[in-house]
Amino acid sequence: MHFSELLEEHENIKLSYSTIYRVLTQEGIKSTKKHRKRKSHHRRKRKPQKGMLVQIDASPHEYIIGGKSFTLHEAIDDATGEILALFFAPNECMEGYFEIIRQIVSKYVVPMSIYCDRHSIFVSPNSGKLSIEVQLEGKTVNLTQFERAMGELGINIIKANSPQVKGRIEKLWDTLQNRLPVEFKIHGIDTMEAANAFLSQFIVAYDEKFGVEPENPESAFRPLDSNINLDYILCVKEERTIIEGSAFSYKGKYYQLIKNGKKGSSYAQS
């Protein structure tokens, strides 16, 4: 199917899927994808409104043919199947997820919920380990930086227990891992930075071709308060206790709070 689209786009040759499949098969050229019979199972119904649920995930792959493997962070809207954001990073990381949240909020504003796996970026390793007695004493597990940031934006986090629950985004990985390397080859893209620059136009073309209309046309995306600065949310925040001399320590360094050259302000210097 991708080959037929590329023939029409670049060579103005229009052939049906079945014709291309027959010609390539006769020439001994087989698809790189394994065609399996799909198992019949219940698929969760799509959310009725765009922005109600956004699925996020990341996948390492050799996206540039002959190059090193790196990781694509992605967000897909559950109601429409549209790609909302894509971002490459060397590895799956908090910064990669913060970047796709930034793209979503900058373009669509704030979604109601995010659906993710139970990676330690999203869930603390100590989550669920506190006994009832300890919880009754008022002790809690610290939020991850991602949980904290989503809380500040008012986005609910739903954690999936298995990849199968995130079927739509898992299926999309197959599509992206087959299409993107070919697109990068055609456009002469051979670095991760150039690939990131190309992704915005890829998203537009993909969504126009594969996006579906939501059951309810009214968007569930919520406006972002004009006083909110994303840079102050999509970042690392840690608490420290001020000790004697209006100072605190952080990662082996000593900081002292000053104001206009005097101690006791909200400015920190090492």
Side-chain angles (χ1 to χ4, degrees), residues 130-142:
L130 295 184
S131 66
I132 295 177
E133 291 76 12
V134 171
Q135 294 180 54
L136 290 174
E137 292 175 1
K139 294 183 179 179
T140 59
V141 174
N142 291 334

Side-chain angles (χ1 to χ4, degrees), residues 197-249:
F198 174 78
L199 288 176
S200 58
Q201 72 180 77
F202 175 83
I203 291 174
V204 172
Y206 180 94
D207 289 349
E208 287 179 352
K209 187 177 295 291
F210 297 110
V212 300
E213 291 297 323
E215 181 181 324
N216 184 341
E218 184 178 353
S219 174
F221 282 104
R222 297 170 289 112
L224 182 69
D225 191 308
S226 59
N227 294 321
I228 291 179
N229 186 332
L230 280 180
D231 290 338
Y232 296 159
I233 295 178
L234 303 178
C235 61
V236 174
K237 294 184 180 181
E238 295 191 26
E239 293 185 1
R240 287 293 182 273
T241 300
I242 302 299
I243 60 177
E244 186 179 353
S246 300
F248 65 91
S249 62

Side-chain angles (χ1 to χ4, degrees), residues 169-225:
I169 200 167
E170 292 292 331
K171 181 181 178 182
L172 182 59
W173 286 128
D174 288 339
T175 302
L176 295 181
Q177 289 174 3
N178 276 276
R179 285 177 175 253
L180 283 175
V182 177
E183 294 285 351
F184 292 158
K185 184 72 172 179
I186 290 174
H187 290 85
I189 293 171
D190 57 6
T191 67
M192 188 177 71
E193 292 73 20
N196 270 325
F198 174 78
L199 288 176
S200 58
Q201 72 180 77
F202 175 83
I203 291 174
V204 172
Y206 180 94
D207 289 349
E208 287 179 352
K209 187 177 295 291
F210 297 110
V212 300
E213 291 297 323
E215 181 181 324
N216 184 341
E218 184 178 353
S219 174
F221 282 104
R222 297 170 289 112
L224 182 69
D225 191 308

Side-chain angles (χ1 to χ4, degrees), residues 2 15 30 48 61 84 100 103 106 161 174 185 187 197 248 252:
H2 189 205
L15 294 172
K30 297 181 178 180
H61 185 68
L84 304 181
I100 62 173
Q103 290 182 28
S106 299
N161 291 315
D174 288 339
K185 184 72 172 179
H187 290 85
F248 65 91

Side-chain angles (χ1 to χ4, degrees), residues 42-58:
H42 174 72
R43 174 172 287 185
R44 178 179 55 79
K45 185 180 179 181
R46 293 180 182 273
K47 293 296 182 183
Q49 293 173 272
K50 186 173 182 177
M52 286 189 73
L53 183 67
V54 173
Q55 296 187 28
I56 63 173
D57 202 3

